[in-house]
Amino acid sequence: MHSFHYRNGVLHCEDADLEALAAQHGTPLYVYSAATIRDHYRRLDQALHGIDHLICYAVKANSNPAVLRLLAQEGAGFDIVSGGELHLVRAAGGEAGKCTFAGVGKTKAEIAYALEHGVHSFNVESEAELEAISEVAKETGRVAPFAVRVNPDVGAGGHKFITTGKSENKFGIGLERVEQVYADAARLGGLRPVGVQMHIGSQITEAGPFALAVERMLPLVQRLKAAYDLEFFSIGGGIGIMYQSSLASGDNEWWHRRDVGAQPALTLEGYAAAVAPLLRGLGVRILLEPGRLLVGNAGVLLTRVLYRKTTPAKRFVIVDAGMNDLIRPALYSSYHEIVPVHQRAADAMRESADVVGPVCESGDFFAQARELPVTQSGELLALMSAGAYGFVMASNYNTRPHPAEVLVSGAQAAVVRERQTMDDLTRGTHLPAWL
Ligand code: LLP
């Protein structure tokens, strides 16, 4: 589901009027729906009912501390990829003991920080990393719980930058080498095998690749469980969401329609139905690492139209958000639905236009040759499905301050991150005395 709908002709997030939020807090503005995040978390949890499991939210998708707190309150664990993410989880009230630490390039300082706070486990991506973890553990007199990230060589996922489960990717250790790595770990010392992990990619919109990868892993999981009494099997994240909706036509029910857009709809229930039968009876706890699924459709980026511009070749709608605020269209050619916050009549005038930002790059676009209702300067637009990999990938490029973030629950709306100020742009910089 998601909680964005037109009410009295104005787009709302739950019971909050988005025009009012933009007027109060300025644009560009990220707005998140707490109800959507909770609903997605609870539905996934429910769909896995009967299987011992822990949902470890992939913090990289959206690390706003309020989002982390909300999920911690739901009982979530966390999939972290840096010392910074562990710091945020702890600051938000999440438990380090429920954090799985992934990533191909953990530094020794990060490993030490994670060991000190007692993370649930390290997902190990190479033999060299395992050696580093062993060294840090022995130096600090601790034992590091670990799981090897296995690369099951299953291709899936939307864009080539976010496919991870093929053997040509930098992630994980090949199926054929994994058992040797567990054997070596015993010799290295300071390590305790507790699980095994896989992750095949992101924005996967069919259940098939997930089921195939789990099936490929099962014999290995069973052998490792017998040999090391493993506690868990993590099946990673990657569940895709619908980016293409029919909200633009005023239809609020798009999320459970099957006929909109080019994407096949993978529901979280469909995902669970595909993998649960394979996992039941394994005798180990199942860990999941969803990011986008929980937060993607829970957020929008509000932006105001600054100018219209027509060239002999094209029509441009220039908005006040840029690729530095939401980079997905520029980086992955991703599709984000764009809707006017003030609802249009079904027969309102439409045009084909490029929606572009103010950044000095031709790649600074949110849509190209998109059929949209005609919008005028000053109008508010919503870039939909911006809750995942939105703000977290924002930069200060073109020396633009980071936008603010607002979390909505019912009629309540709280600023959960302030817009950066001019002072923030100079903070931490120094002019040397010799200049
Ligand atoms: N687990 C691991 C090991 C991962 O590498 C990732 C994402 C996840 C879980 C969470 O995946 P999700 O459930 O969110 O698909 N910036 C890109 C997506 C990069 C995903 C990286 N890894 C985008 O905007 O599409």
Side-chain angles (χ1 to χ4, degrees), residues 56-61 79 81 102-103 123 125 149 159 161-164 171 197-204 210 234-240 243 288-295 327-328 331-332 334 336 388-390 392-393:
C56 294
Y57 166 62
V59 174
K60 63 173 82 69
D79 166 43
V81 291
N123 289 342
E125 306 238 13
R149 174 169 176 181
H159 190 274
F161 290 0
I162 55 176
T163 308
T164 52
F171 299 101
Q197 200 266 353
M198 68 165 212
H199 172 78
I200 55 174
S202 197
Q203 185 52 17
I204 299 168
F210 292 110
S234 169
I235 60 173
I239 308 165
Y243 279 97
L288 301 98
E289 302 168 354
R292 190 188 318 261
L293 169 75
L294 299 184
V295 295
I327 203 174
R328 303 191 70 260
L331 192 56
Y332 315 115
S334 303
H336 284 264
Y389 307 109
V392 281
M393 295 181 79

Side-chain angles (χ1 to χ4, degrees), residues 85-168:
E85 288 190 350
L86 177 55
H87 176 72
L88 286 194
V89 168
R90 294 182 57 242
E95 290 168 49
K98 282 183 166 179
C99 287
T100 57
F101 191 0
V104 297
K106 304 172 189 77
T107 65
K108 283 194 167 174
E110 287 177 314
I111 294 167
Y113 177 52
L115 271 175
E116 182 192 335
H117 291 287
V119 291
H120 178 277
S121 53
F122 291 87
N123 289 342
V124 174
E125 306 238 13
S126 68
E127 283 99 328
E129 182 200 329
L130 192 67
E131 281 172 31
I133 296 173
S134 158
E135 277 170 31
V136 178
K138 285 189 289 189
E139 277 162 22
T140 54
R142 297 176 203 269
V143 175
F146 78 93
V148 172
R149 174 169 176 181
V150 181
N151 187 329
D153 199 17
V154 172
H159 190 274
K160 65 177 190 306
F161 290 0
I162 55 176
T163 308
T164 52
K166 292 291 287 174
S167 54
E168 62 261 35

Side-chain angles (χ1 to χ4, degrees), residues 30 323-327 389-397 402-403:
Y30 276 99
M323 65 188 287
N324 67 298
D325 302 307
L326 176 67
I327 203 174
Y389 307 109
F391 184 93
V392 281
M393 295 181 79
S395 76
N396 288 123
Y397 187 40
H402 283 160

Side-chain angles (χ1 to χ4, degrees), residues 4-326:
F4 296 90
H5 46 258
Y6 288 108
R7 188 182 291 168
N8 305 323
V10 181
L11 194 63
H12 281 61
C13 171
E14 303 189 28
D15 297 324
D17 177 320
L18 291 179
E19 181 67 66
L21 283 183
Q24 194 178 348
H25 304 292
T27 52
L29 183 71
Y30 276 99
V31 181
Y32 309 124
S33 154
T36 306
I37 302 173
R38 281 199 196 99
D39 173 78
H40 289 176
Y41 179 87
R42 288 177 191 174
R43 273 173 46 210
L44 182 61
D45 200 36
Q46 189 54 38
L48 293 162
H49 180 73
I51 292 181
D52 179 20
H53 67 274
L54 177 66
I55 299 173
C56 294
Y57 166 62
V59 174
K60 63 173 82 69
N62 184 327
S63 59
N64 186 287
V67 170
L68 301 180
R69 168 153 302 186
L70 187 159
L71 284 164
Q73 284 173 350
E74 291 295 311
F78 298 93
D79 166 43
I80 56 169
V81 291
S82 67
E85 288 190 350
L86 177 55
H87 176 72
L88 286 194
V89 168
R90 294 182 57 242
E95 290 168 49
K98 282 183 166 179
C99 287
T100 57
F101 191 0
V104 297
K106 304 172 189 77
T107 65
K108 283 194 167 174
E110 287 177 314
I111 294 167
Y113 177 52
L115 271 175
E116 182 192 335
H117 291 287
V119 291
H120 178 277
S121 53
F122 291 87
N123 289 342
V124 174
E125 306 238 13
S126 68
E127 283 99 328
E129 182 200 329
L130 192 67
E131 281 172 31
I133 296 173
S134 158
E135 277 170 31
V136 178
K138 285 189 289 189
E139 277 162 22
T140 54
R142 297 176 203 269
V143 175
F146 78 93
V148 172
R149 174 169 176 181
V150 181
N151 187 329
D153 199 17
V154 172
H159 190 274
K160 65 177 190 306
F161 290 0
I162 55 176
T163 308
T164 52
K166 292 291 287 174
S167 54
E168 62 261 35
N169 300 126
K170 68 178 175 184
F171 299 101
I173 295 179
L175 261 176
E176 66 297 339
R177 271 169 48 220
V178 174
E179 282 163 289
Q180 189 56 47
V181 176
Y182 282 90
D184 292 345
R187 274 205 317 278
L188 289 172
L191 301 165
R192 184 163 66 92
V194 289
V196 57
Q197 200 266 353
M198 68 165 212
H199 172 78
I200 55 174
S202 197
Q203 185 52 17
I204 299 168
T205 50
E206 344 162 79
F210 292 110
L212 177 64
V214 168
E215 263 170 14
R216 270 198 196 162
M217 291 281 291
L218 285 183
L220 174 75
V221 178
Q222 278 155 344
R223 286 200 301 278
L224 289 172
K225 177 174 187 284
Y228 302 103
D229 199 20
L230 293 191
E231 294 160 22
F232 71 85
F233 171 27
S234 169
I235 60 173
I239 308 165
I241 62 166
M242 298 268 286
Y243 279 97
Q244 209 143 352
S245 79
S246 54
L247 190 66
S249 65
D251 177 357
N252 288 333
E253 302 296 311
W254 64 269
W255 56 86
H256 54 68
R257 281 176 53 183
R258 296 286 175 276
D259 57 337
V260 288
Q263 293 174 27
L266 173 65
T267 60
L268 55 85
E269 288 81 7
Y271 167 82
V275 295
L278 302 168
L279 301 170
R280 206 164 272 127
L282 254 187
V284 291
R285 175 171 247 210
I286 301 304
L287 265 52
L288 301 98
E289 302 168 354
R292 190 188 318 261
L293 169 75
L294 299 184
V295 295
N297 281 327
V300 297
L301 175 59
L302 298 179
T303 184
R304 247 182 237 287
V305 177
L306 293 172
Y307 308 109
R308 296 175 55 84
K309 174 172 176 172
T310 308
T311 69
K314 283 203 170 218
R315 193 175 288 126
F316 293 99
V317 173
I318 303 169
V319 297
D320 67 0
M323 65 188 287
N324 67 298
D325 302 307
L326 176 67

